Amino acid sequence: MIPIEDSAYEKLQAYIESLRRYFANEEGRDEIINDIEGRIAELLHEKIRKGADSITDDDVEEVIVSMGRVEDFEAADKETQEQARFT
């Protein structure tokens, strides 16, 4: 188990819930979410391994930035759709 501050946990849960909503209609959504959660756990575990006492809001924010926000995915989707219209 990874020690995590309450506020960081809440931020992480909100992020994961936003991913669940984003991928809700995707085929294989459970596997996608499981893979993302696994990667998040690896990144957070690495912080602890390097000597952090617990996971903070800043740590969670760093992970979210590296993994990408739903807004980033939506912007990329829109850009891809627009490019497809012009080809």
Side-chain angles (χ1 to χ4, degrees):
M1 187 162 142
I2 298 174
I4 185 169
E5 295 176 357
D6 289 342
S7 59
Y9 178 79
E10 290 171 12
K11 181 181 268 196
L12 184 59
Q13 286 303 106
Y15 174 66
I16 292 171
E17 186 55 37
S18 72
L19 294 174
R20 288 186 197 288
R21 285 190 304 272
Y22 178 77
F23 290 112
N25 297 320
E26 293 288 324
E27 187 174 323
R29 67 186 167 275
D30 293 337
E31 185 175 340
I32 293 168
I33 296 298
N34 286 338
D35 288 348
I36 292 171
E37 287 177 332
R39 180 64 181 138
I40 291 169
E42 289 172 4
L43 293 170
L44 296 179
H45 184 9
E46 186 67 17
K47 299 255 182 214
I48 297 298
R49 192 184 68 73
K50 289 182 177 178
D53 293 330
S54 66
I55 300 301
T56 65
D57 285 351
D58 289 341
D59 295 327
V60 170
E61 187 62 31
E62 186 180 318
V63 167
I64 291 171
V65 167
S66 80
M67 298 293 292
R69 296 187 186 319
V70 167
E71 297 83 15
D72 302 331
F73 303 154
E74 290 170 343
D77 289 347
K78 185 176 181 181
E79 186 176 313
T80 300
Q81 290 170 355
E82 288 175 6
Q83 288 175 351
R85 277 193 300 178
F86 297 114
T87 56

